[in-house]
Structures are given as structure tokens and as C-alpha cells.
Amino acid sequence: MAKESTTNIVKKFYTNGEVENVNEKMTLAEMQAFVGGDIEFVRTRVSRRSLVVNEEGTIENLPPNVEASKVIHPDVLVLDYIRGNALLAKG
């Protein structure tokens, strides 16, 4: 039986503004459960880091995630927020 692939997660961003520093490995199913649907990796400005977000967060009208959006656009007014819970992946 093949070992299930995992992704290294270093932060969890919640839509209520909470940010949790973590150091854990998550499977595809665990990441999908956290973001509430199919995932999409969004490249950040930091090398070897990506945000894991709900692929259809905007279509599903999920709540904006201001803190996760700051990872992508730290110094500008954000017009297109990350929607829903998000994860910061390393590697």
C-alpha cells in the first residue's frame, strides 16, 4: 500500500481573523476539509511558500479572509480577498 502524500503546513488562517502558527503535515483530504472544498495553491512572495485556499471561495461567496490576503498583498489595498479559511504551506 502506497503512503499518502502530505504537505507541510506552517500557518492556519481563519475567516474570524485568527492566525495559528503550526508545524504539521496535512493530507489532501485534511486540507480540503479545512478550506471547505477543492484546493488551489496560490503562490506568495516568499520563496517556497504557498497559500492553500478553496478553489471556489469567491463563487461560493465565502467570507473574506483579510489576514490570508495580506500574505499575497501585504502593502496594498486588497480588492480581491482570499475567501474562506486558508493554509500557508512550506516546501
Side-chain angles (χ1 to χ4, degrees):
M1 186 165 144
K3 183 178 177 185
E4 191 169 14
S5 179
T6 60
T7 300
N8 295 319
I9 303 299
V10 295
K11 281 191 182 186
K12 293 180 176 180
F13 296 90
Y14 299 88
T15 55
N16 66 2
E18 182 182 344
V19 179
E20 182 181 1
N21 290 316
V22 297
N23 184 15
E24 61 186 77
K25 295 182 184 295
M26 294 180 83
T27 65
L28 173 60
E30 291 168 331
M31 290 187 290
Q32 289 172 323
F34 185 81
V35 302
D38 291 336
I39 65 169
E40 176 181 357
F41 285 87
V42 178
R43 187 177 288 168
T44 69
R45 297 182 327 136
V46 178
S47 177
R48 298 176 43 99
R49 299 278 198 274
S50 297
L51 275 179
V52 181
V53 302
N54 184 313
E55 181 177 63
E56 296 185 339
T58 301
I59 294 168
E60 294 177 7
N61 200 29
L62 296 177
N65 191 321
V66 176
E67 294 305 315
S69 299
K70 289 177 183 177
V71 174
I72 304 297
H73 307 288
D75 301 321
V76 297
L77 175 65
V78 177
L79 299 175
D80 186 21
Y81 286 101
I82 298 295
R83 299 280 181 157
N85 290 337
L87 301 163
L88 185 61
K90 174 183 170 183

